[in-house]
Amino acid sequence: MQRRKMLKTLVAAGVAAGLAPLGAQAAAWPDRPVTIVVPFSPGGGIDLITRVFAKQIGKDLHQSIIVENRPGAGGVVGSAHVARAKPDGYTFLVAGNGIVTNSQIRSDQPYKDDQLTPVGLMGVAPSVIVTNPSNPAHGLKEFVANAKKNHVSRITFSRAGVGSTPDFVGAMVKQETGLPIQMISYKSGSEGVAAVIGGQVDMTSEASIVTLPLVKGGKLKALATTWGGRLASAPDIPTAAEEGFPNIRIGHWEGMFAPTGTPADILDKMNAAILKAAKAPEVLDTLKKTSIEPGDFNRAQFTKFTQDEYTRLGKVVKAGHMHAE
């Protein structure tokens, strides 16, 4: 019932935005700086990709784009801020999987799903499951085998809050391997990664844009990637499927949302700006280095994508009894 309601609200949000009256404000948009809210601390995958796109979007729209970090509660704090913002085209949100699963995880979500409207997909990256270089395992399969052989009673896994992509990877690892995973929350993916580097946490996952430079620099050891085939920029890292765990599969995607009621003309202009930015040489060069696939969805396609992710990841939520702390 909850899933059906979510699908309906996402569609309703898109329809409502499409029917919104267009006025002089929409035609002149943007005539002042636009704020894009990132619901996590600086340094994580979503933050980094947002800043790469924001610079290019600003050039296209001939306006300043301000990236504002509002971390907390696995992205809920920043998302709620945008959901309640004035739908005038000057406040947007960039979020990932949590935006379509928080309502399945939290009973106290301070906004309704239909208060946010999908605008466009910016990029999709695999998460890279990583551990400290001191760990002897060479791959996820060996990591699991070693843990079971040594009867390890607890394996800590850092996450950027409940419902974040690392949280889902940790849940998938636990469900598919049977390891005694204990999730440890941090404000951002970058902080969770730092905890692995420092030896405070056993393992984590983060977007390739965050992890690959650290893997190549010898500060992290990669165990597996979580999306499609091997990375072009790191072909020596096996996929989770190759390691024997095909159900550990999730894309670390970044998409833009707007307060529902934002004029359709503005949403279309922002979607076009996202698509144009995704093809810009400066952006493509950054994405290519970390094997991120640029988005190419129009608004309707992105809405369907979020619906499909809601359904797929909802099964992980149910199997893992995932709930807010």
Side-chain angles (χ1 to χ4, degrees), residues 196-219:
V196 176
I197 294 174
Q200 291 86 31
V201 178
D202 296 316
M203 64 191 307
T204 191
S205 72
E206 247 300 338
S208 54
I209 191 172
V210 175
T211 53
L212 287 187
L214 296 170
V215 170
K216 293 178 180 179
K219 294 183 178 181

Side-chain angles (χ1 to χ4, degrees), residues 77-289:
V77 172
S79 300
H81 172 77
V82 176
R84 293 191 290 259
K86 185 177 180 180
D88 57 3
Y90 291 94
T91 305
F92 292 85
L93 171 75
V94 172
N97 289 305
I99 198 67
V100 299
T101 56
N102 280 334
S103 62
Q104 301 180 76
I105 295 171
R106 309 183 67 95
S107 60
D108 61 343
Q109 181 170 289
Y111 66 94
K112 296 181 179 179
D113 288 319
D114 62 1
Q115 287 180 260
L116 290 169
T117 295
V119 179
L121 180 67
M122 297 159 73
V124 182
S127 275
V128 182
I129 303 173
V130 293
T131 188
N132 189 279
S134 63
N135 192 290
H138 297 284
L140 184 59
K141 183 177 181 179
E142 186 177 349
F143 183 95
V144 173
N146 289 346
K148 292 183 176 181
K149 178 181 178 180
N150 296 320
H151 304 288
V152 176
S153 61
R154 186 184 76 147
I155 297 174
T156 51
F157 195 111
S158 60
R159 64 184 175 188
V162 178
S164 62
T165 303
D167 189 29
F168 273 89
V169 175
M172 290 175 178
V173 170
K174 183 176 183 177
Q175 291 169 26
E176 296 303 315
T177 69
L179 292 181
I181 299 290
Q182 180 181 348
M183 305 304 296
I184 307 295
S185 293
Y186 289 84
K187 288 185 178 180
S188 70
S190 60
E191 292 181 18
V193 167
V196 176
I197 294 174
Q200 291 86 31
V201 178
D202 296 316
M203 64 191 307
T204 191
S205 72
E206 247 300 338
S208 54
I209 191 172
V210 175
T211 53
L212 287 187
L214 296 170
V215 170
K216 293 178 180 179
K219 294 183 178 181
L220 290 173
K221 177 183 284 187
L223 298 175
T225 62
T226 66
W227 187 257
R230 293 198 179 199
L231 306 180
S233 57
D236 56 322
I237 304 175
T239 66
E242 289 175 322
E243 290 291 284
F245 308 105
N247 291 324
I248 300 178
R249 183 178 184 277
I250 189 169
H252 204 296
W253 57 268
E254 297 83 19
M256 188 177 292
F257 296 78
T260 297
T262 301
D265 182 54
I266 290 177
L267 298 182
D268 287 338
K269 287 182 179 179
M270 180 58 88
N271 178 267
I274 292 171
L275 292 175
K276 186 174 181 180
K279 297 177 182 178
E282 300 94 325
V283 174
L284 283 174
D285 183 58
T286 299
L287 300 186
K288 183 179 180 179
K289 290 178 181 178

Side-chain angles (χ1 to χ4, degrees), residues 38 40-55 67 69 94 122 190 206-211 213 254 286-287 290 292:
V38 174
F40 299 102
S41 298
I46 290 177
D47 178 70
L48 293 173
I49 289 298
T50 300
R51 293 178 187 279
V52 170
F53 270 80
K55 183 177 180 180
V67 178
N69 296 89
V94 172
M122 297 159 73
S190 60
E206 247 300 338
S208 54
I209 191 172
V210 175
T211 53
E254 297 83 19
T286 299
L287 300 186
T290 48
I292 297 175

Side-chain angles (χ1 to χ4, degrees), residues 25 28-35 63-65 86 88-91:
Q25 184 181 32
W29 180 87
D31 59 5
R32 55 188 171 87
V34 174
T35 296
Q63 189 55 260
S64 298
I65 305 295
K86 185 177 180 180
D88 57 3
Y90 291 94
T91 305

